[in-house]
Amino acid sequence: MNQDIAEELGTSKKTVSLWRRRFAASRVAGIEKDAPRPGRTPSIPARTVQRILDKTTQEKPTAATHWSTRTMAAAVGVSKDTVQRVWRPHGTTTLFAALEMSLGLLYGTCMKRHRHQEWIKFLKLLDDQTPAELDLHLILDNYATHKHPKVRQWLARHPRFKLHFIPTNSSWLNLVERWFRDLTQKRLRRGTFPSERALREAIVAYIDQHNQAPEPFVWSAKASDILAKVARAHAALHKTPSV
């Protein structure tokens, strides 16, 4: 029971057990507020907070579409607990989104984490919100969560889902990234969000606004131009002296 609740809420089994014990002992009064703590938690240096927030809002980790506490901790050189303590009050969430390429419609939802459990929930949302007679071809990155054994089991029971993985470090091949850029530049980067709820509401409102007059994204560059640019970059890379 505790494990099921923890997975549903994106927290630990220990936390669920603690609050259930408090409720059992004191009913509502036991969970109205947190219990007194033995001492003040050491503050996090402002420079560290700013580095974490800058990376969260302006950068992406290598070969992934979002930061996890582990990858952020490694990038900044702090503990996962420090990352979590910075993220909690500043409002962070994980956006799952799919762009219907022919019409430009967005299917999206926010969840607390990006694990295989949340990924399956999003696949179920797509299954419910799209015509059952259509095959769904999903273009996505090689993030390990997308290939979890339980995800593969779910896909085996839903054969209309066809997954196509883009090469590592080639997110530009996925047109939904173009929409993510618009969301970041037009709504998130200049916004102030005092809580996770405010952030989620802003994202959902932007999705709803987009879907009122959706337009498909169209490639403006020719394939020949892209390949020529790649060739020039490849040549320049090989001319750069190694250190």
Side-chain angles (χ1 to χ4, degrees):
M1 174 66 76
N2 288 350
Q3 183 63 41
D4 292 339
I5 296 173
E7 291 183 357
E8 181 70 22
L9 298 179
T11 188
S12 68
K13 185 167 65 174
K14 181 179 178 181
T15 298
V16 173
S17 177
L18 172 64
W19 284 92
R20 291 186 70 195
R21 287 199 305 270
R22 288 180 182 174
F23 180 77
S26 305
R27 310 311 292 175
V28 175
I31 61 173
E32 286 181 327
K33 59 182 179 180
D34 204 354
R37 298 186 182 274
R40 182 178 180 182
T41 303
S43 60
I44 302 172
R47 180 180 298 180
T48 300
V49 173
Q50 193 58 51
R51 286 179 64 199
I52 293 173
L53 294 179
D54 286 346
K55 282 187 172 294
T56 301
T57 58
Q58 300 176 26
E59 300 179 27
K60 289 183 180 180
T62 303
T65 57
H66 77 289
W67 292 101
S68 66
T69 53
R70 179 182 59 81
T71 55
M72 179 61 74
V76 180
V78 298
S79 68
K80 291 193 293 184
D81 178 67
T82 296
V83 174
Q84 291 171 342
R85 285 167 52 204
V86 171
W87 277 352
R88 277 191 209 108
H90 289 88
T92 60
T93 189
T94 295
L95 170 62
F96 289 80
L99 174 67
E100 200 283 319
M101 294 178 62
S102 64
L103 298 177
L105 284 170
L106 251 297
Y107 299 91
T109 186
C110 293
M111 302 186 203
K112 288 184 177 294
R113 302 175 67 179
H114 192 146
R115 305 168 302 170
H116 73 272
Q117 296 95 324
E118 287 80 16
W119 174 232
I120 291 174
K121 286 182 181 178
F122 184 60
L123 293 176
K124 290 179 179 178
L125 181 148
L126 294 178
D127 197 28
D128 290 340
Q129 295 188 359
T130 55
E133 67 275 12
L134 297 180
D135 282 349
L136 299 181
H137 291 262
L138 274 58
I139 301 171
L140 60 162
D141 61 39
N142 282 278
Y143 192 55
T145 294
H146 300 153
K147 302 178 179 180
H148 191 279
K150 290 189 177 179
V151 172
R152 293 200 295 267
Q153 292 172 12
W154 189 92
L155 292 170
R157 298 192 301 270
H158 299 80
R160 78 184 185 110
F161 282 79
K162 320 289 185 182
L163 271 55
H164 306 276
F165 297 97
I166 61 175
T168 301
N169 296 327
S170 61
S171 60
W172 58 274
L173 290 172
N174 195 342
L175 280 180
V176 76
E177 294 289 339
R178 177 68 173 78
W179 182 83
F180 282 140
R181 188 184 75 179
D182 285 353
L183 169 67
T184 300
Q185 293 179 344
K186 297 178 181 180
R187 185 63 187 92
L188 301 184
R189 184 161 291 167
R190 299 179 181 179
T192 300
F193 310 103
S195 66
E196 180 185 338
R197 178 179 178 180
L199 176 59
R200 291 199 311 268
E201 290 176 347
I203 292 173
V204 171
Y206 190 84
I207 291 174
D208 290 342
Q209 181 182 16
H210 171 91
N211 284 338
Q212 289 177 10
E215 293 183 2
F217 290 115
V218 179
W219 291 106
S220 58
K222 297 179 180 178
S224 57
D225 294 338
I226 295 175
L227 293 174
K229 186 174 182 179
V230 170
R232 291 194 299 271
H234 188 268
L237 178 64
H238 281 272
K239 289 181 180 178
T240 302
S242 58
V243 178

